[in-house]
Amino acid sequence: MDTRRSFIKKSAVLIPAISVANSVFSKEIMQEKMIPVVISTWNHGLPANEAAWQILEKGGWSLDAVEAGVRVPEADPEVITVGYGGIPDANGKVTLDACIMDEKGRAGSVTFLESIKHPISVARLVMEITPHVMLSGDGALKFALQNGFKKDNLLTPKMNAEWKKWKKEKKAFSSKINIENQHEDNHDTIGMLAIDSAGRISGACTTSGMGFKLHGRVGDSPIIGAGLFVDGEVGGAVATGSGELVMKTLGSFLVVELMRNGKSPSEACEEAVRRIAHKIPDYQNHQVGFIALKKNGEYGSSCIQPGFNFALKTNAETKLVDVEAWMKTL
Ligand code: GLY
C-alpha cells in the first residue's frame, strides 16, 4: 500500500557532535547550531517539517509550528495513517486521535473523532478555549462544528476498497505493524517536536491509529504522557507504533523524566523501549519508536524493530535519520 520505506537504509541515529563543555563559548555555539529545530516521525515528517520551518525561521512560536507541520500529513490522502485518507476501522469509519502540548505544559486532545480533517487544530482549541484537556467522539465532533470546523468525508475511494478487501478476506486482525519487510504498513502516526528561537518547546501527535482497529479503539497518540509529553524545563518526547504498548508504559512521560534525570535523548528513548521489552511479553511482534528533544536542542531516538526513521530540520541540515533497532543490539 505504501512505498515510504523502500529507501530505508539501516544506520545509527546521528547525534550532533556537540560536546557538553561548560564554557559560555561552547553554549553559544550550541544554541546557534541547534535552535530552532524540528523533528518528526517517519518520512512524512519531511514535508511536515518544511511547513513547521516556515514559522520557526521567522521567529514564530513552536506551538504554531507543530500545528502547521502535522496538518500537512493530516490533509494528504497518500499518507494512509494520518487524517484524511487514513486506513478505516473495522466498521469502515476513519476515526482520528490527536493531541498538542506547549512549553507551559498546557495540553489539548481529541479522541475517536470522525469527519474532521484536522484533529490537531481541534485539539489545540480544546486546550485554548475549554477548561478540559480531552474531548472524545460525538462530543469532540460537536465542539469542532460549533467552532467553525467543516465536516469532510475522510474515507478515500482507495481506502474504501482496502476496507472491502479486508472484510471479504476476513483477515484476522493483525497488530504486527511497521516491521521492516513484513508489509504490515498499517500504522505510522506523525509525532512532531519543535523548539523555536526563543527556546520554547512544543509537541503535536496525530493519527488515524491502527488499521482496521475495533470501532471505538483509541491509541496512545491523544494520551498526554503516552503518545506525547512536553515539559518546558526539560524537553519533549513522542511515540509511534503499537499504541497499546506505549499506553501500558506511559512511554513519552517516561522519556522526559529520564532526560530530567540526566539521560541523553537517545539513552532515554532506549530505556523506554527496554521498559516495553521487560514488561510486555510479545513485544517482538510490535514496533514502537520514540523520538525526543531536549530543551537545548539535542535530539535522539530508539525503536524496537528495524524500519523506523525520523525527519530532522535545523539551520544546518534537513534529513531523514534511520534509527538503529534496539532488538538488533541484543
Ligand atoms: N500509535 C498510534 C496508535 O496506536 O494509534
Side-chain angles (χ1 to χ4, degrees):
M1 279 199 281
D2 180 31
T3 57
R4 72 171 63 111
R5 268 183 279 298
S6 57
F7 57 92
I8 287 174
K9 297 184 193 79
K10 292 182 194 120
S11 70
V13 173
L14 303 176
I15 300 296
I18 296 211
S19 74
V20 214
N22 284 326
S23 73
V24 172
F25 176 73
S26 65
K27 277 184 185 159
E28 279 169 1
I29 295 284
M30 185 164 73
Q31 292 292 322
E32 190 190 320
K33 281 198 163 175
M34 306 289 284
I35 292 172
V37 55
V38 55
I39 59 174
S40 55
T41 54
W42 305 107
N43 66 345
H44 51 223
L46 287 170
N49 284 0
E50 291 304 321
W53 195 255
Q54 285 181 22
I55 291 166
L56 295 172
E57 73 177 345
K58 292 186 194 119
W61 187 13
S62 57
L63 187 72
D64 293 328
V66 295
E67 181 189 5
V70 304
R71 282 174 62 99
V72 174
E74 279 185 343
D76 184 349
E78 296 305 314
V79 178
I80 59 171
T81 50
V82 180
Y84 172 58
I87 309 172
D89 68 10
N91 290 10
K93 307 279 184 197
V94 180
T95 73
L96 305 177
D97 298 334
C99 75
I100 194 160
M101 207 168 174
D102 74 6
E103 81 283 355
K104 294 196 179 81
R106 299 189 312 153
S109 162
V110 287
T111 76
F112 191 41
L113 177 62
E114 290 183 49
S115 308
I116 299 289
K117 203 181 258 182
H118 290 297
I120 197 66
S121 298
V122 185
R124 180 169 176 173
L125 212 57
V126 172
M127 174 178 99
E128 289 182 330
I129 71 167
T130 81
H132 309 305
V133 170
M134 182 183 286
L135 292 180
S136 186
D138 277 352
L141 177 59
K142 279 188 188 117
F143 171 80
L145 297 175
Q146 278 161 6
N147 284 286
F149 288 82
K150 299 274 172 294
K151 266 190 169 182
D152 277 301
N153 176 11
L154 304 182
L155 185 65
T156 55
K158 183 175 156 189
M159 283 303 120
N160 194 20
E162 289 291 342
W163 174 67
K164 285 189 173 145
K165 190 165 144 229
W166 175 82
K167 287 245 318 173
K168 198 165 155 201
E169 287 170 0
K170 294 215 166 27
K171 217 168 102 179
F173 177 77
S174 168
S175 63
K176 288 193 177 184
I177 57 173
N178 291 334
I179 298 174
E180 196 177 39
N181 302 327
Q182 290 199 14
H183 305 290
E184 296 275 0
D185 280 353
N186 69 4
H187 208 283
D188 289 344
T189 303
I190 186 160
M192 177 179 280
L193 300 162
I195 303 177
D196 59 33
S197 33
R200 296 169 296 192
I201 182 166
S202 298
C205 190
T206 175
T207 190
S208 52
M210 199 172 273
F212 312 121
K213 62 194 172 187
L214 288 178
H215 187 62
R217 181 262 187 192
V218 171
D220 62 316
S221 300
I223 310 296
I224 300 297
L228 167 70
F229 195 69
V230 171
D231 183 321
E233 291 172 14
V234 179
V238 286
T240 181
S242 291
E244 281 72 7
L245 280 65
V246 178
M247 291 159 93
K248 286 174 187 167
T249 53
L250 213 55
S252 293
F253 180 72
L254 176 62
V255 170
V256 173
E257 286 308 292
L258 290 166
M259 292 196 295
R260 189 196 304 280
N261 291 324
K263 288 209 185 291
S264 72
S266 279
E267 288 168 346
C269 291
E270 196 179 318
E271 181 56 34
V273 167
R274 196 177 294 120
R275 185 74 59 91
I276 288 173
H278 181 64
K279 294 279 177 193
I280 298 172
D282 73 332
Y283 77 92
Q284 297 97 329
N285 292 326
H286 295 265
Q287 173 67 295
V288 170
F290 292 102
I291 59 172
L293 186 59
K294 251 183 158 159
K295 77 169 196 178
N296 67 2
E298 191 188 351
Y299 58 85
S301 178
S302 185
C303 57
I304 299 176
Q305 314 270 352
F308 175 55
N309 52 12
F310 69 92
L312 163 76
K313 191 165 178 77
T314 66
N315 277 315
E317 50 189 354
T318 296
K319 65 182 179 185
L320 201 59
V321 182
D322 295 325
V323 181
E324 187 181 34
W326 179 76
M327 278 176 67
K328 291 262 171 178
T329 66
L330 297 180

